[in-house]
Amino acid sequence: DQDSRERELRHQATHDPLTGLANRAMFNERLAEVAEDGRVGVLFLDLDRFKQINDTLGHDHGDEVLRRVARFLVEGVRREDVVARWGGEEFALLLPSTRASDALRLAERLRQALEDLDLGVTASFGVAEYLPGESEEALFRRADQALYRAKERGRNRVEFIPGG
């Protein structure tokens, strides 16, 4: 029927087909909703040396690693948090009502647990906290800069760039 078709199209427009996670459009939509309420933490994470997995074990194995990481992330956060596939082997987490210190603790816990999972992959994390009135672009730029810093400083680590 028409309603279920519309729901299906909406789901396809807002979710990543490989992992079932939210996509950027859905992430941005939720950020706009929760930013009005105040504190919001954002984590960007990128799987370290993921290209090696695809190159040595094949893309099917790489896809399975992405699906398992997606499941791991969803299971590791609260129901109100949003886990999105940002692109390639990069993920983003939206943490409503979360201070930077709590976002940093979560990022470190996830980083360690992912390493312990033994999927053959580690992750670098960039953390930022939304500042009232800040643009999405500025927030994402800080989270991305923190992620880049984590990669630059040796990977498999968490970095934070405060705003203001």
Side-chain angles (χ1 to χ4, degrees):
D1 80 320
Q2 186 66 27
D3 280 350
S4 63
R5 181 74 185 128
E6 284 177 16
R7 274 195 303 279
E8 176 62 24
L9 286 173
R10 168 106 177 110
H11 184 82
Q12 288 174 3
T14 57
H15 290 79
D16 172 60
L18 178 68
T19 62
L21 295 177
N23 64 16
R24 283 184 187 215
M26 172 66 98
F27 189 91
N28 291 343
E29 190 178 298
R30 286 288 295 136
L31 175 60
E33 291 169 9
V34 299
E36 297 168 13
D37 297 335
R39 294 194 179 273
V40 180
V42 171
L43 308 182
F44 279 3
L45 70 126
D46 188 76
L47 301 181
D48 299 322
R49 299 183 175 92
F50 184 75
K51 186 178 179 319
Q52 281 180 305
I53 288 174
N54 278 337
D55 290 350
T56 58
L57 301 171
H59 288 275
D60 287 346
H61 184 82
D63 286 352
E64 182 56 28
V65 168
L66 291 173
R67 283 191 288 269
R68 289 184 64 190
V69 168
R71 252 190 330 271
F72 160 79
L73 292 171
V74 168
E75 291 167 2
V77 298
R78 304 168 302 184
R79 270 186 51 180
E80 65 266 25
D81 297 334
V82 177
V83 180
R85 183 164 177 215
W86 206 245
E89 64 274 10
E90 195 170 350
F91 297 85
L93 281 70
L94 179 66
L95 312 169
S97 307
T98 304
R99 293 184 140 71
S101 57
D102 294 325
L104 281 162
R105 269 195 297 282
L106 173 64
E108 182 53 39
R109 182 173 60 76
L110 291 172
R111 186 203 64 74
Q112 186 64 58
L114 184 60
E115 186 176 21
D116 294 345
L117 259 187
D118 202 27
L119 290 176
V121 70
T122 58
S124 298
F125 287 77
V127 178
E129 182 182 346
Y130 172 76
L131 302 171
E134 181 177 29
S135 70
E136 289 173 4
E137 293 77 23
L139 174 64
F140 296 159
R141 190 166 38 253
R142 281 191 297 112
D144 204 46
Q145 286 169 341
L147 174 60
Y148 183 77
R149 184 186 290 169
K151 292 280 193 189
E152 213 172 43
R153 292 184 175 173
R155 296 181 176 87
N156 192 24
R157 58 183 292 133
V158 175
E159 292 288 341
F160 169 66
I161 294 186

